[in-house]
Amino acid sequence: MPQYLLSVYQPDTDEPPSAEFLAPIRRDLETLNAEMKAAGAWVFAAGLFPADTATVLRHKGDEILTTDGPYVEGKEHLGGFTIVEAPDLDAALAWGRRLARATTLPIEVRPLQDGPSE
């Protein structure tokens, strides 16, 4: 069955949201993850540390350059992701819509390639 990446984008801010703000989001996310697992759609999910903890490796000439922080500066960054199995894009989008409601954040839905590219 095809797999899809549901990417969660969160705003870059100096202060994390309050515990009171996050409590209902965490509750709704736990409920959604349980429903995905029960439906056999859930494959893997993870949250990420803030973008400023990233290290970017870039090939240039004969060297690999290492820089701290995200690849690009932006107003949003990848904050987490879920991988689901779904029969088609419409079904994956349905899970993505539910994830957007649960997290209150933008969700990008993208199919995973079936295997290594030639």
Side-chain angles (χ1 to χ4, degrees):
M1 185 173 309
Q3 293 183 338
Y4 296 84
L5 173 67
L6 310 180
S7 301
V8 180
Y9 288 94
Q10 61 189 67
D12 281 328
T13 60
D14 292 333
E15 282 189 39
S18 68
E20 294 80 22
F21 178 81
L22 290 176
I25 293 172
R26 285 190 176 126
R27 181 196 64 233
D28 292 348
L29 191 53
E30 286 176 15
T31 299
L32 178 58
N33 283 339
E35 290 176 18
M36 286 181 182
K37 289 175 184 178
W42 190 89
V43 175
F44 182 77
L48 301 172
F49 282 101
D52 64 1
T53 65
T55 302
V56 177
L57 305 172
R58 190 175 287 119
H59 178 256
K60 187 167 184 170
D62 292 334
E63 296 184 33
I64 301 294
L65 304 176
T66 304
T67 56
D68 293 333
Y71 177 67
V72 294
E73 295 292 327
K75 294 180 182 178
E76 297 178 327
H77 64 271
L78 182 63
F81 61 90
T82 300
I83 296 176
V84 296
E85 287 186 333
D88 54 36
L89 179 59
D90 289 336
L93 290 171
W95 287 119
R97 285 185 196 95
R98 295 193 57 200
L99 186 57
R101 282 189 195 101
T103 63
T104 71
L105 295 169
I107 305 299
E108 177 184 318
V109 177
R110 189 183 300 190
L112 298 179
Q113 293 184 4
D114 290 334
S117 58
E118 300 291 326

